[in-house]
């Protein structure tokens, strides 16, 4: 409200999430790291708690961070295992930094060095699911909170559970990203077919709101699904 920002059907909202407090606490404990310790990152100086909560990707440790762990391991078996993981990367794995620290207790590099090797925590883009003219003081998202169990631990989607569980009532850093070649036809008599295999229903909720405001006469078919 009162931001002066506007959006169009098909646009996306970038959300800057924060990591799970429980995961951050576990990492600090595993590293025996004081939450108030100063950590130097490319962006400047931060406390370890600030860096782990909102600046660093701890759910998918970078290959450089894994190599840092491997180099510090005092047990040969830990070193070999971490080197192998770094070579394969953790991109398609549910394992996070806490898992690596728990599984390989002999790998304890300098915490500041380890944290400096992690990738930045990136914003997540969500299709906007409201029409601006229908909701001029709001922007709507349609988000499924990601929760599952893997390797004996409960896992959470970084941004989806941040939005659903922890962002209520707090200022949230966001930005709009304009759509490229994804929007409604100029002629509202043109029939549209909306298929959401990747986006889901979200952007098409905005399309339908906009078409209702236009009193569009063109037909509209919507195809979407959910495996559950």
């Amino acid at each position: 409200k009162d931001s002066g920002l506007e959006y169009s059907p098909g646009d996306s909202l970038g959300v800057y999430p924060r990591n799970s407090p429980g995961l951050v606490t576990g990492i600090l404990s595993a590293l025996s790291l004081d939450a108030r310790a100063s950590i130097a990152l490319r962006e400047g100086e931060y406390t370890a708690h600030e860096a782990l909560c909102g600046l660093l990707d701890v759910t998918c440790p970078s290959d450089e961070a894994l190599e840092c762990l491997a180099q510090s391991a005092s047990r040969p078996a830990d070193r070999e295992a971490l080197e192998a993981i770094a070579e394969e990367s953790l991109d398609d794995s549910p394992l996070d930094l806490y898992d690596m620290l728990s599984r390989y207790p002999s790998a304890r590099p300098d915490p500041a060095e380890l944290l400096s090797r992690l990738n930045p925590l990136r914003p997540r883009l969500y299709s906007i699911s409201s029409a601006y003219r229908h909701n001029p003081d709001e922007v709507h998202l349609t988000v499924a909170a990601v929760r599952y169990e893997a390797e004996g631990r409960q896992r959470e989607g970084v941004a989806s559970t941040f939005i659903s569980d922890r962002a209520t009532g707090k200022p949230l850093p966001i930005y709009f990203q304009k759509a490229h070649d994804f929007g409604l036809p100029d002629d509202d008599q043109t029939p549209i077919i909306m298929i959401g295999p990747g986006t889901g229903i979200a952007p098409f909720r905005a399309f339908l709101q906009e078409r209702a405001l236009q009193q569009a006469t063109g037909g509209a078919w919507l195809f979407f699904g959910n495996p559950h």
Side-chain angles (χ1 to χ4, degrees):
K1 187 175 182 181
D2 301 325
S3 67
L5 298 173
E6 298 183 9
Y7 55 89
S8 301
D11 290 351
S12 297
L13 188 75
V15 177
Y16 289 89
R18 294 176 67 80
N19 288 311
S20 162
L23 180 57
V24 169
T25 298
I27 292 170
L28 289 169
S29 177
L31 289 170
S32 300
L33 179 60
D34 189 324
R36 297 163 295 180
S38 181
I39 301 294
L41 302 176
R42 288 182 291 271
E43 299 84 356
E45 293 273 340
Y46 300 90
T47 66
H49 187 266
E50 290 172 335
L52 288 169
C53 279
L55 296 171
L56 300 174
D57 185 351
V58 298
T59 57
C60 184
S62 66
D63 296 345
E64 290 78 10
L66 294 170
E67 289 166 0
C68 182
L69 284 168
Q71 291 164 6
S72 73
S74 58
R75 293 182 63 234
D78 286 355
R79 186 181 310 113
E80 291 173 10
L82 284 162
E83 287 173 348
I85 294 170
E87 191 170 330
E88 293 293 327
S89 84
L90 285 172
D91 289 347
D92 298 320
S93 168
L95 299 177
D96 54 36
L97 181 59
Y98 180 74
D99 290 313
M100 295 296 100
L101 293 168
S102 301
R103 287 185 173 202
Y104 308 106
S106 78
R108 288 297 182 271
D110 174 68
E113 175 68 15
L114 175 62
L115 267 54
S116 72
R117 303 278 191 94
L118 293 169
N119 287 327
L121 182 59
R122 300 292 185 190
R124 270 50 170 187
L125 275 174
Y126 290 96
S127 295
I128 294 172
S129 60
S130 55
Y132 177 77
R133 293 197 301 147
H134 191 267
N135 308 274
D137 294 330
E138 301 177 357
V139 56
H140 296 181
L141 300 182
T142 302
V143 181
V146 177
R147 308 177 200 275
Y148 63 99
E149 184 175 329
E151 304 289 337
R153 276 180 53 212
Q154 282 296 124
R155 312 286 168 161
E156 298 179 345
V158 176
S160 65
T161 57
F162 169 66
I163 290 169
S164 67
D165 298 351
R166 303 188 300 279
T168 305
K170 300 175 184 177
L172 183 62
I174 60 169
Y175 66 93
F176 289 115
Q177 180 160 302
K178 290 295 179 183
H180 298 288
D181 301 321
F182 181 58
L184 288 167
D186 294 331
D187 185 351
D188 62 21
Q189 295 182 8
T190 303
I192 58 174
I193 300 174
M194 300 168 286
I195 304 173
T199 61
I201 199 173
F204 304 127
R205 181 176 183 270
F207 284 12
L208 292 171
Q209 285 185 1
E210 185 71 15
R211 294 276 276 199
L213 286 166
Q214 293 172 343
Q215 295 184 318
T217 56
W221 280 17
L222 171 62
F223 296 86
F224 75 99
N226 186 306
H228 305 295

